[in-house]
Amino acid sequence: MAPKGDARQAREYLARAKAYFHRHDVPRALAATAAGVQPIVDGGIVGRDLAELHGALREMVQMLSRDEDVKARATAISPRGLTFEKGAEKQLLAMLARILRSMRDEQEQETYEQAIARKQQLDKLLLHGRRLLEHKKVAEADEAFTEATGFYRNEHRLFLLMGKAMLEAGEPKRALRHLRKGMEVDPDKEQARRVHDTALARSKGEPDPA
């Protein structure tokens, strides 16, 4: 059984999303909001924690919906646009992902120089996240890793590397999200699967798989 959602983690992401939006960094606000929705989708958050997260999420969705670009993209996907409804967090997560994808899809075909610059930025964020983990700044590191995925095209090992970094930092629950994605996209998924199984066991307080 997969581990349940982490309310504290969700609050951290939604707080970051709000800060990004106020800095007019809409793509990062969208990514952080999606990261904040994921623990709710994972289930297990109930009571006061869930009520507080619903309030923060509703506020964030309303803010994002005021952005004309986000509004236009959301409406093109669904006539209802970007909305929040209790119990429909999975659909909201899918909508956020599609909006982010549409932004990336509009980028021009990469030139060689653009590809090099993108890969350098990806490597920079991955290194930055690892350094943050060394200083026990786990939420900031996970945010750097989430930002790194915005530069991902076909560097499938990225998710394995992020998952291993989180696992080695003693954060198996956070590692699982990256490792699951790695198993989805990497044709050579066996290594990601092995690390995933270890992270899953540790998240439950169980011994590492043999």
Side-chain angles (χ1 to χ4, degrees):
M1 182 181 295
K4 299 300 184 180
D6 186 327
R8 180 177 60 83
Q9 184 181 123
R11 280 193 291 269
E12 289 174 355
Y13 280 126
L14 292 175
R16 289 177 179 276
K18 189 174 182 180
Y20 287 139
F21 186 84
H22 286 311
R23 293 205 296 264
H24 307 289
D25 191 344
V26 175
R28 291 179 75 180
L30 283 163
T33 301
V37 175
Q38 185 65 62
I40 302 175
V41 172
D42 289 342
I45 302 176
V46 297
R48 183 175 179 179
D49 283 337
L50 183 59
E52 290 178 353
L53 288 173
H54 278 161
L57 186 54
R58 180 181 291 106
E59 180 185 12
M60 196 62 235
V61 168
Q62 290 172 346
M63 292 169 65
L64 289 168
S65 296
R66 293 199 297 268
D67 181 85
E68 290 301 323
D69 185 37
V70 171
K71 183 178 180 180
R73 293 175 190 276
T75 303
I77 295 169
S78 170
R80 299 184 62 192
L82 184 63
T83 60
F84 168 75
E85 292 183 10
K86 294 179 181 179
E89 292 85 0
K90 188 173 183 179
Q91 291 86 340
L92 173 60
L93 183 61
M95 170 69 82
L96 292 167
R98 290 186 64 181
I99 294 171
L100 282 166
R101 174 61 64 184
S102 73
M103 289 179 171
R104 289 197 292 267
D105 287 347
E106 284 188 1
Q107 295 176 351
E108 296 181 358
Q109 184 69 26
E110 282 187 310
T111 64
Y112 176 76
E113 292 77 11
Q114 288 171 333
I116 293 298
R118 177 181 60 78
K119 291 175 183 291
Q120 288 177 339
Q121 186 64 17
L122 191 155
D123 289 342
K124 179 180 177 181
L125 287 165
L126 183 60
L127 179 60
H128 180 53
R130 285 170 165 167
R131 287 175 174 169
L132 287 168
L133 286 176
E134 290 174 0
H135 290 86
K136 309 300 182 184
K137 296 181 178 181
V138 178
E140 291 90 337
D142 213 6
E143 184 62 35
F145 288 164
T146 298
E147 186 177 354
T149 63
F151 295 92
Y152 160 79
R153 290 288 179 87
N154 56 7
E155 300 83 5
H156 303 316
R157 282 181 59 82
L158 170 67
F159 301 98
L160 172 62
L161 294 173
M162 295 189 299
K164 288 180 70 175
M166 279 292 176
L167 183 60
E168 290 167 1
E171 294 289 335
K173 289 184 179 181
R174 292 180 188 259
L176 284 169
R177 177 166 57 90
H178 302 297
L179 295 166
R180 288 182 185 128
K181 184 65 176 179
M183 290 191 295
E184 288 177 12
V185 301
D186 194 345
D188 184 16
K189 63 184 67 178
E190 286 309 309
Q191 187 176 6
R193 188 184 304 280
R194 289 195 296 271
V195 181
H196 170 274
D197 291 347
T198 298
L200 184 60
R202 292 184 187 179
S203 73
K204 297 177 180 179
E206 298 175 355
D208 290 357

